Amino acid sequence: MIAIQDTLDVISGKWRIPIIVCLTMRPELSFTELKEELVYISAKVLSAELRFMEENNLVSREVKKTTTLTVKYSLTAYGRTLERLLFSLMDWGLTHRVQITGKQALEVSNEDYINALRANLPPVVPGIV
């Protein structure tokens, strides 16, 4: 039970999974790019979440010396181990929607689901109202 609680402590919250999904789809993003992807997140919250994820070795932060200082974020190898968990959660969620509604869902692509996660909206499953 402790291992499950440890996992939930690391990935819980409104923004951590969407941040991981963004960094899965685009392996390296600046703070501004992440902020643009996660439309409703404030800069203060994004900064705090990235700091937490960096402290937990999920995200790496690299300062690049360009004309202006640029900071890029990416998933660490350890952070990428969460991808399998996220796709398992996605599969369970799709099955759960069918179970609860009693309707067979049409195929939903991972990209559609990830885009919905990125937008922080519940994914729309065709065939289920």
Side-chain angles (χ1 to χ4, degrees):
M1 193 65 148
I2 292 173
I4 292 171
Q5 189 58 53
D6 288 346
T7 304
L8 291 174
D9 289 345
V10 171
I11 66 169
S12 67
K14 183 175 180 178
W15 295 107
R16 291 182 194 151
I17 289 176
I19 290 168
I20 293 167
V21 169
C22 285
L23 292 172
T24 298
M25 295 197 58
R26 292 179 55 198
E28 188 178 80
L29 291 169
S30 69
F31 185 89
T32 303
E33 290 168 330
L34 272 168
K35 178 82 176 76
E36 289 170 358
E37 291 287 328
L38 304 165
V39 180
Y40 300 107
I41 193 170
S42 70
K44 181 179 178 181
V45 170
L46 179 57
S47 180
E49 293 292 4
L50 288 168
R51 194 174 317 112
F52 174 86
M53 295 170 79
E54 191 177 359
E55 289 168 359
N56 282 276
N57 197 29
L58 302 176
V59 170
S60 66
R61 178 182 183 271
E62 183 182 355
V63 178
K64 296 190 175 197
K65 295 178 183 177
T66 55
T67 353
T68 60
L69 216 53
T70 306
V71 178
K72 293 284 188 172
Y73 294 91
S74 60
L75 288 177
T76 62
Y78 183 61
R80 284 192 303 276
T81 64
L82 289 170
E83 290 173 5
R84 189 176 51 162
L85 174 64
L86 294 180
F87 285 109
S88 293
L89 285 171
M90 178 189 73
D91 290 342
W92 187 90
L94 291 172
T95 301
H96 178 68
R97 282 182 183 231
V98 172
Q99 178 71 29
I100 295 303
T101 63
K103 297 178 184 176
Q104 183 63 43
L106 301 175
E107 189 65 32
V108 177
S109 73
N110 288 342
E111 185 175 315
D112 289 341
Y113 192 83
I114 287 171
N115 287 335
L117 280 175
R118 187 188 299 156
N120 198 35
L121 301 171
V124 176
V125 178
I128 297 180
V129 181

